[in-house]
Amino acid sequence: MDYNILYETDYDTVVARYEDKRKNNKSYQSEKELENEFIHNLTNLGYEYINIKNEKELTANLKIQLEKLNDYKFEQDEWEIFLKKEIQKEGILEKAKIIHNDDCITNTINSKGVIKNINLIDKNNIHNNKLQVINQYKEYDGKYKSIYDVTVLINGLPFIHIELKRRGVALQTAFSQINRYQRDSFWAGSSLFEFIQIFVISNGTHTKYYSNTTRYNHVKRNAKKTNNSFEFTIFWADAENRRIADLVNFTNYFFARHTILNIIIRYCVLTEDSNLLIMRPYQIAACERILNKIKYAENKNIYGGIDAGGYIWHTTGSGKTLTSFKTSLLASKTDYIDKVFFVVDRKDLDYQTIKEYEKYQKGCVSSNKSTRILQQQIEGDSKIIVTTIQKLSTFIKKNKFHNIYNKKVVLIFDECHRSQFGEMHTNIIKYFKKYSIFGFTGTPIFKENASSINKIQGKTTPQVFGEKLHTYTIVDAIHDETVLPFKIEYHDTFKNKDNIDDKKVSGINKEEVFINDKRIELIVKYILENFDIKTKRNSSYSIDGKRVNGFNSILAVSSIPAAVKYYKAFKKLLEKNTNPLRIAVIFTYNPNEEENGYIDDESFDTADLDKSSRDFLEYAVNDYNKMFNTAFDTSSDKFENYYKDISQRVKNKEIDLLIVVNMFLTGFDAKTVNTLWVDKNLKYHSLIQAFSRTNRILNSVKTFGNIVCFRNLVKDVEDAVALFGNKDAENIVLLKDYNSYFYGYDKNGHHEKGYIDYIEELYSKFPINEEITGEHNEKDFIALYGIILKLRNILSTFEQFDNDDPFKKENKERDLQDYQSKYIDLYNKIVKKANSEKESIIDDIVFEIELIKQVEVNIDYILKLVMEYLLKNKQDEELALKIYKSIDSSIMLRNKKELIEEFINITNINKEEDGYREWEHYIDKTKEKEITDIIKAENLKEKDTLSYINNAFRDGEIKTFGVDFDKLLPPISRFSREENRQEKKNSIADKLIRFFEKFYNIS
């Protein structure tokens, strides 16, 4: 690495560079042997192995450990009350709140009425905590009997659970196993396993960790894709981002006492919306490098210059906000620092970002709404202050002789290359005397990409902030699957006869050429014709528990006149469109209108716009108001709210296409954006920043960021990727071309199969009319079809795939349905078996169900076929076959099959509209009867149940936990055994889930 480590202790959480400590053992290793070796290695690290197999032994050990930690002896009655009242609090959330409050203290009252504070963890002296390891713990009081692999106890409480699979087994099966435990048994008995904060999964070769996120709420019923999705599991690494994957090495570094205790105590964040975040190794490394530098500056007394600070280069999308904010919090706890300023740009404080900051520390943003309040905070007891560049600049201008300038302060800039920062930096070094400045950036300014109009008067990042303290490049992030790679395509928008290369349009009026009406109309037509393909608009996926169709996109244009022309062209061409896109546009005044490839920050100032631009913007905002029933305009206060409203609606996928000049191309995160249409020149940091609007991870359907260029940016892309990655980065950052995915490609003398090869293998190994029998064949089919699904997901964004796909080309689309039906049949068979057993019937396979769901046949299509069938008096056997094959190939419609079949059997129609009317009547009648039957059979409270079900259909999800669910349950005797109560709740929940899935989105 090219930075110097000035101060680093032996107890840094993330080791600077790890050493491979594996022994050269090539013999076969069973799962039991893997488990024994893991436990042995933990004991070598100072963990105590203790033979605990049941709840009685677990609670007895807990009492012993808490008494030791607190130097206190519980009376027996007191212990039982304490255990029930303080430890067995219902739910993961309540337990997590205890762990992640500042001191992790609860209390007890003895028989004499004396209150005693009880520490669950010693956060001040981390090595005062006792680490123990248990294995093969038996929990028989859950929905199903469970035996857990390995659990680490801290002071007697289960804090880390490890699920192991033998080498060669898919890692995701361990993840699925933990999900089953969360759903079926962690909550059972004394519910002590709800104290688990971290899960570790390993097959020996690969090991990952992730949080027991409380948003998941036991994972028992809620179908939301949150951080419990496998995509969010994390590899541990050293400070050079070298992955530590093998279980032996992972154990030595991740489970080192100081490391695991630091992670639990210092580097977990319980957010205000009840989601548990565990910082990634590069985030922790950056945080500790800054803290070490602050300590170094104090020891050497070198405040007030770049030697006291530094910068963190963490690529866009890697979670800089969490890293920088957590660093600010920890820095504020040092006794020799008077104030810590966490500084952001006002433009970044959209609704969602404010919410993000509020998650980490409630009230930190809302309490700082004016410069006056900022001054009160500076003069008050607040040690950490969250403010904006603009407010801090104003404060300095108004208070040039304030005593804060003589205090020891740390300033941490969330994004250190904003246009306003130049003046801010000048004022800081002019007025503050004892400061350390640290900056976070995804794209540093080096000599290669510094320019005369650069953000900080042409200076590079090292010149402004000092040395680089930690690096996590886009190559690292893509390798870790923290962000997605890019798929880039280029389109020549000049006809050959024009003999114009858009890189050589210098001797003529470039803007006139590029915003030519015919050229813009040509591009708009292309976007409209290919919008559905690029954004997967005809595919569906789950987000926040709801099904949505496709992704959304941003169109980046070169100038305000270009934005005006594009917006008008879209409006004109969309007038005849039966399924119009929701389009918005935003821009504001920018003094540097000349296009140079760099994105200049735009303010919210509209006053300096020329009259025609201001009038057009008013017109576009008025269109927006009509579309969303809002009341914005271009006045300074309302325009800022217009910006924030657009930001939120893009994130909610309420806007399909946003036209911008510079706004939203830096610092804006929306996971639903997958495509950037580019008609402007971009270079270096501006190019990476703009492209990175598309590469946030969402789910298995979104596998890359789509970049569609209408300019020749080939050389610019190569230069930017090389500067912010390395010379070989292009192979990692950019996706391969269409032919590589379709036909395969040669690598190191070996042919990597393409889509066409796998289709041939599918027909050869699994002929369409033959049954798939035997576990070995089932495994092979699931693995092969999963590969095909992944390739189809990528290829479907290329226009030529629709013509090349052999299933369409050879008129074999029904074969695709049949193969998909077989895949779903196996999925249902295995999931059903897995729900009733500890181990899945097939232990080492992964289903790509989200990719199946994205190509769902919807109910409207099926009903259209049904009406056509009924109008033919149910005599068309080919049509009937088509209906049932379509239903069988749909994982979402299978549970509605019974309804559709019965409706066909009892219905005869003469007109199509009569059929739809009959369908609505049939669904209403059947739905009412079935919920009534459930209410009577389970003795549910009718009013509460109907309200609960109506809310579920309204929200698009059913939650079988919490107050609303408990309200509808019948009275259950307090003398009933706990397992009987839970069994009753599970039975009711199962019935309501089946009812919901049967009738949701059916009409």
Side-chain angles (χ1 to χ4, degrees):
M1 306 299 286
D2 54 354
Y3 54 80
N4 298 317
I5 301 172
L6 294 178
Y7 189 97
E8 190 170 53
T9 73
D10 293 334
Y11 294 103
D12 283 333
T13 306
V14 178
V15 67
R17 184 177 179 84
Y18 92 94
E19 297 176 20
D20 190 345
K21 298 185 178 181
R22 289 175 293 176
K23 295 177 181 177
N24 190 20
N25 191 339
K26 301 293 184 183
S27 61
Y28 176 85
Q29 187 180 46
S30 68
E31 186 175 314
K32 183 63 179 172
E33 289 169 334
L34 182 71
E35 181 178 307
N36 290 340
E37 181 186 48
F38 173 60
I39 293 171
H40 175 74
N41 289 338
L42 286 179
T43 59
N44 286 342
L45 291 171
Y47 291 63
E48 177 193 7
Y49 175 75
I50 183 167
N51 188 23
I52 289 176
K53 304 298 182 188
N54 57 51
E55 181 182 314
K56 183 179 178 181
E57 294 169 348
L58 186 64
T59 52
N61 179 66
L62 174 62
K63 180 173 179 287
I64 293 168
Q65 299 311 321
L66 290 182
E67 286 178 341
K68 285 181 180 178
L69 180 68
N70 293 278
D71 192 21
Y72 179 76
K73 188 75 174 173
F74 286 98
E75 300 167 355
Q76 190 55 39
D77 289 347
E78 177 192 3
W79 167 251
E80 290 174 7
I81 292 170
F82 174 78
L83 185 65
K84 187 170 183 179
K85 182 183 174 186
E86 299 296 335
I87 300 299
Q88 295 177 358
K89 288 185 176 182
E90 184 177 345
I92 298 170
L93 175 58
E94 292 306 313
K95 293 179 174 70
K97 284 179 178 176
I98 298 172
I99 299 302
H100 296 290
N101 67 24
D102 285 341
D103 48 20
C104 193
I105 289 176
T106 183
N107 58 64
T108 182
I109 304 176
N110 67 15
S111 60
K112 297 177 182 178
V114 177
I115 298 175
K116 167 70 177 176
N117 287 335
I118 300 296
N119 256 313
L120 300 185
I121 302 180
D122 189 338
K123 293 191 173 183
N124 296 318
N125 179 9
I126 66 170
H127 293 291
N128 199 27
N129 298 290
K130 178 76 171 181
L131 294 177
Q132 297 171 304
V133 56
I134 65 175
N135 71 322
Q136 299 301 305
Y137 180 91
K138 298 176 176 63
E139 179 55 76
Y140 290 167
D141 291 335
K143 191 172 181 182
Y144 302 105
K145 292 180 180 179
S146 300
I147 302 176
Y148 309 146
D149 281 355
V150 182
T151 306
V152 169
L153 312 179
I154 301 180
N155 304 324
L157 286 170
F159 264 76
I160 305 115
H161 178 71
I162 303 96
E163 189 64 26
L164 302 172
K165 297 295 178 187
R166 60 177 168 78
R167 294 179 188 274
V169 173
L171 191 60
Q172 195 163 345
T173 60
F175 176 83
S176 300
Q177 185 72 59
I178 288 176
N179 277 357
R180 286 196 288 274
Y181 291 151
Q182 285 182 303
R183 183 188 63 221
D184 297 337
S185 62
F186 278 157
W187 44 265
S190 60
S191 70
L192 290 182
F193 276 80
E194 288 185 329
F195 272 100
I196 289 171
Q197 301 299 292
I198 298 174
F199 291 119
V200 173
I201 52 177
S202 179
N203 59 9
T205 307
H206 291 115
T207 310
K208 301 182 83 173
Y209 70 98
Y210 60 103
S211 73
N212 184 11
T213 174
T214 51
R215 188 190 289 163
Y216 206 70
N217 287 301
H218 296 226
V219 202
K220 284 196 289 185
R221 301 296 176 193
N222 194 352
K224 284 188 178 183
K225 275 185 85 69
T226 68
N227 285 13
N228 264 68
S229 299
F230 185 74
E231 288 90 342
F232 293 94
T233 56
I234 308 165
F235 281 108
W236 191 245
D238 64 16
E240 295 182 7
N241 308 312
R242 295 163 67 238
R243 185 179 289 177
I244 306 174
D246 184 88
L247 182 59
V248 172
N249 289 324
F250 182 92
T251 305
N252 282 320
Y253 292 100
F254 184 83
F255 279 106
R257 286 176 55 86
H258 68 278
T259 297
I260 193 63
L261 289 168
N262 268 337
I263 292 170
I264 293 281
I265 293 169
R266 292 163 66 89
Y267 298 116
C268 282
V269 178
L270 182 65
T271 67
E272 285 297 318
D273 59 356
S274 304
N275 192 24
L276 181 64
L277 305 177
I278 306 176
M279 294 176 71
R280 294 170 181 263
Y282 62 84
Q283 294 176 307
I284 296 171
C287 188
E288 293 191 339
R289 290 281 165 84
I290 289 178
L291 296 174
N292 287 340
K293 192 64 180 285
I294 293 170
K295 187 181 288 188
Y296 174 80
E298 170 69 12
N299 291 342
K300 297 289 186 180
N301 194 26
I302 55 169
Y303 288 106
I306 62 172
D307 289 340
Y311 73 96
I312 302 294
W313 173 8
H314 281 188
T315 193
T316 305
S318 60
K320 292 193 301 296
T321 297
L322 173 60
T323 313
S324 55
F325 192 83
K326 186 66 176 178
T327 304
S328 302
L329 286 175
L330 292 174
S332 70
K333 293 179 181 179
T334 54
D335 53 11
Y336 45 83
I337 297 297
D338 296 305
K339 296 282 182 184
V340 176
F341 292 88
F342 181 58
V343 190
V344 299
D345 186 354
R346 179 184 67 175
K347 185 167 70 68
D348 290 338
L349 286 175
D350 59 22
Y351 296 145
Q352 192 63 30
T353 311
I354 289 174
K355 197 174 170 187
E356 291 291 312
Y357 296 137
E358 292 282 309
K359 286 193 308 190
Y360 307 141
Q361 187 186 53
K362 191 158 181 64
C364 66
V365 176
S366 58
S367 63
N368 192 338
K369 291 182 178 178
S370 69
T371 307
R372 179 180 57 82
I373 294 174
L374 171 60
Q375 183 168 342
Q376 289 173 359
Q377 288 183 323
I378 289 172
E379 294 169 357
D381 295 329
S382 300
K383 221 182 161 186
I384 178 171
I385 298 170
V386 180
T387 189
T388 65
I389 294 172
Q390 294 82 1
K391 290 192 186 79
L392 190 54
S393 293
T394 303
F395 169 81
I396 293 172
K397 288 176 184 176
K398 291 182 177 180
N399 299 274
K400 294 184 177 179
F401 303 101
H402 200 280
N403 65 3
I404 187 64
Y405 303 133
N406 294 312
K407 302 279 188 181
K408 291 178 181 178
V409 300
V410 172
L411 298 105
I412 297 177
F413 288 83
D414 181 43
E415 177 50 67
C416 62
H417 292 300
R418 296 296 193 211
S419 56
Q420 296 89 343
F421 183 70
E423 183 183 356
M424 171 85 266
H425 180 257
T426 302
N427 286 332
I428 288 171
I429 61 177
K430 180 178 180 180
Y431 292 101
F432 284 90
K433 303 295 187 292
K434 300 177 180 179
Y435 63 83
S436 287
I437 301 180
F438 299 95
F440 284 76
T441 181
T443 48
I445 306 299
F446 301 121
K447 63 178 187 237
E448 293 90 343
N449 59 318
S451 69
S452 58
I453 60 163
N454 192 246
K455 309 278 193 277
I456 312 171
Q457 293 84 48
K459 290 184 178 180
T460 64
T461 305
Q463 287 174 324
V464 175
F465 286 94
E467 69 168 338
K468 179 172 58 179
L469 299 178
H470 192 258
T471 302
Y472 187 75
T473 69
I474 190 169
V475 174
D476 296 319
I478 291 172
H479 179 252
D480 286 347
E481 298 179 346
T482 306
V483 298
L484 300 170
F486 302 114
K487 172 173 132 352
I488 305 178
E489 56 187 78
Y490 302 93
H491 295 271
D492 186 2
T493 57
F494 296 107
K495 295 178 182 178
N496 290 335
K497 69 177 184 179
D498 297 333
N499 197 26
I500 296 175
D501 179 346
D502 65 12
K503 287 294 182 189
K504 299 175 182 175
V505 196
S506 54
I508 55 178
N509 187 331
K510 281 200 278 189
E511 185 69 3
E512 182 181 325
V513 172
F514 283 118
I515 65 171
N516 176 274
D517 290 341
K518 289 184 178 179
R519 179 179 178 274
I520 285 180
E521 185 173 331
L522 181 74
I523 292 172
V524 170
K525 282 181 178 177
Y526 175 85
I527 291 174
L528 292 177
E529 287 169 3
N530 292 278
F531 190 88
D532 291 1
I533 294 173
K534 301 301 181 189
T535 63
K536 290 182 169 285
R537 205 177 185 208
N538 295 325
S539 302
S540 69
Y541 58 93
S542 286
I543 183 169
D544 291 334
K546 297 180 181 179
R547 300 300 294 179
V548 295
N549 290 324
F551 303 101
N552 45 6
S553 65
I554 296 173
L555 169 60
V557 302
S558 57
S559 64
I560 291 173
V564 171
K565 288 197 171 190
Y566 267 109
Y567 185 80
K568 289 179 177 178
F570 272 112
K571 282 202 71 173
K572 177 184 174 183
L573 291 173
L574 282 170
E575 284 175 358
K576 301 173 185 178
N577 198 315
T578 55
N579 189 19
L581 302 180
R582 291 162 298 184
I583 293 180
V585 62
I586 188 167
F587 56 80
T588 187
Y589 175 70
N590 179 9
N592 299 309
E593 274 294 310
E594 182 183 349
E595 196 182 9
N596 54 36
Y598 295 108
I599 298 170
D600 293 311
D601 286 336
E602 294 175 287
S603 69
F604 293 119
D605 182 17
T606 55
D608 290 331
L609 287 170
D610 62 70
K611 186 175 186 306
S612 64
S613 298
R614 180 77 178 261
D615 288 347
F616 168 77
L617 189 57
E618 197 74 50
Y619 161 76
V621 172
N622 190 46
D623 282 350
Y624 185 91
N625 289 334
K626 291 175 184 176
M627 185 161 47
F628 294 112
N629 194 27
T630 51
F632 302 114
D633 58 40
T634 62
S635 59
S636 58
D637 56 338
K638 288 190 176 180
F639 184 74
E640 184 170 345
N641 289 332
Y642 173 63
Y643 172 95
K644 292 178 178 179
D645 197 69
I646 284 180
S647 171
Q648 193 58 43
R649 291 188 191 277
V650 171
K651 291 175 182 183
N652 292 343
K653 217 194 131 307
E654 297 175 60
I655 293 172
D656 296 307
L657 177 71
L658 176 63
I659 302 171
V660 302
V661 180
N662 287 330
M663 279 183 162
F664 288 94
L665 293 181
T666 63
F668 172 69
D669 288 342
K671 291 181 179 180
T672 60
V673 171
N674 87 319
T675 301
L676 178 72
W677 317 89
V678 184
D679 190 22
K680 70 182 288 154
N681 292 331
L682 291 168
K683 291 181 179 179
Y684 291 119
H685 52 278
S686 294
L687 184 146
I688 295 294
Q689 287 278 359
F691 284 16
S692 295
R693 298 316 103 210
T694 66
N695 74 340
R696 299 303 187 267
I697 288 177
L698 178 62
N699 54 27
S700 58
V701 179
K702 185 181 177 185
T703 52
F704 51 81
N706 237 339
I707 311 296
V708 183
C709 296
F710 304 108
R711 302 278 180 110
N712 181 1
L713 301 181
V714 176
K715 181 67 165 58
D716 297 305
V717 169
E718 290 172 355
D719 291 344
V721 170
L723 181 62
F724 297 110
N726 55 48
K727 61 184 176 63
D728 300 317
E730 201 167 329
N731 295 324
I732 298 171
V733 176
L734 308 182
L735 249 65
K736 298 174 181 65
D737 60 15
Y738 174 80
N739 286 341
S740 296
Y741 289 109
F742 193 81
Y743 297 107
Y745 57 94
D746 294 327
K747 182 180 179 182
N748 299 327
H750 173 72
H751 180 70
E752 299 287 341
K753 291 181 181 178
Y755 176 74
I756 202 76
D757 301 313
Y758 286 113
I759 296 299
E760 287 178 11
E761 186 179 343
L762 182 68
Y763 275 103
S764 172
K765 284 187 175 180
F766 306 102
I768 194 68
N769 295 319
E770 291 185 14
E771 195 86 16
I772 300 172
T773 57
E775 186 174 308
H776 179 77
N777 287 331
E778 288 176 344
K779 282 183 182 179
D780 285 352
F781 173 76
I782 291 164
L784 177 58
Y785 197 72
I787 293 170
I788 290 170
L789 283 171
K790 287 180 177 179
L791 285 170
R792 286 183 66 85
N793 184 47
I794 294 172
L795 287 165
S796 64
T797 62
F798 291 90
E799 298 104 281
Q800 58 264 54
F801 181 63
D802 199 46
N803 295 322
D804 292 347
D805 185 5
F807 286 114
K808 278 192 175 182
K809 197 173 182 180
E810 299 170 28
N811 199 24
K812 293 181 178 178
E813 289 179 278
R814 186 165 292 177
D815 285 0
L816 182 62
Q817 283 184 320
D818 287 341
Y819 278 124
Q820 192 145 305
S821 297
K822 292 180 180 184
Y823 190 77
I824 296 170
D825 285 338
L826 285 173
Y827 171 75
N828 288 333
K829 168 186 170 182
I830 291 166
V831 167
K832 185 177 180 181
K833 187 75 172 175
N835 284 340
S836 60
E837 296 182 0
K838 180 183 186 294
E839 297 299 333
S840 170
I841 186 174
I842 297 181
D843 191 47
D844 52 352
I845 58 171
V846 175
F847 284 96
E848 301 294 342
I849 290 303
E850 193 63 31
L851 297 182
I852 286 282
K853 289 179 181 177
Q854 69 150 326
V855 290
E856 280 293 317
V857 176
N858 62 36
I859 189 66
D860 295 334
Y861 172 76
I862 294 296
L863 286 180
K864 190 172 185 302
L865 297 180
V866 168
M867 299 310 161
E868 188 180 339
Y869 181 63
L870 292 176
L871 288 171
K872 293 182 177 181
N873 297 317
K874 309 178 192 177
Q875 298 300 310
D876 190 333
E877 291 185 9
E878 183 71 17
L879 187 55
L881 185 65
K882 186 175 184 180
I883 291 169
Y884 291 118
K885 280 188 176 289
S886 296
I887 294 171
D888 285 340
S889 68
S890 165
I891 201 166
M892 305 292 280
L893 289 180
R894 280 191 169 202
N895 51 28
K896 309 178 196 307
K897 185 176 182 178
E898 180 188 328
L899 287 170
I900 297 167
E901 283 182 337
E902 185 183 13
F903 175 73
I904 290 173
N905 290 335
I906 66 172
T907 306
N908 294 290
I909 61 171
N910 295 316
K911 295 180 182 177
E912 188 175 290
E913 55 266 33
D914 292 342
Y916 284 106
R917 224 175 0 255
E918 288 290 325
W919 171 256
E920 294 292 338
H921 175 70
Y922 164 73
I923 290 299
D924 290 342
K925 182 180 174 183
T926 309
K927 185 162 67 172
E928 184 180 351
K929 179 183 183 305
E930 291 197 15
I931 192 62
T932 301
D933 289 346
I934 293 172
I935 290 170
K936 287 180 179 177
E938 299 293 344
N939 192 27
L940 303 181
K941 297 170 187 173
E942 183 176 5
K943 184 178 178 182
D944 290 327
T945 304
L946 294 176
S947 173
Y948 166 83
I949 284 295
N950 288 335
N951 288 341
F953 284 123
R954 179 199 66 199
D955 298 337
E957 62 176 331
I958 188 162
K959 299 177 181 177
T960 53
F961 56 86
V963 176
D964 289 341
F965 179 66
D966 291 341
K967 276 168 59 179
L968 59 88
L969 297 175
I972 302 174
S973 171
R974 55 184 294 212
F975 300 107
S976 297
R977 291 178 62 198
E978 181 62 30
E979 56 265 34
N980 291 341
R981 289 170 56 87
Q982 192 59 50
E983 192 176 321
K984 182 69 173 173
K985 288 177 74 171
N986 289 341
S987 171
I988 293 169
D990 285 340
K991 287 186 178 182
L992 291 174
I993 287 169
R994 285 197 298 271
F995 172 82
F996 174 79
E997 290 175 345
K998 186 174 182 178
F999 288 98
Y1000 180 61
N1001 272 351
I1002 191 66
S1003 61

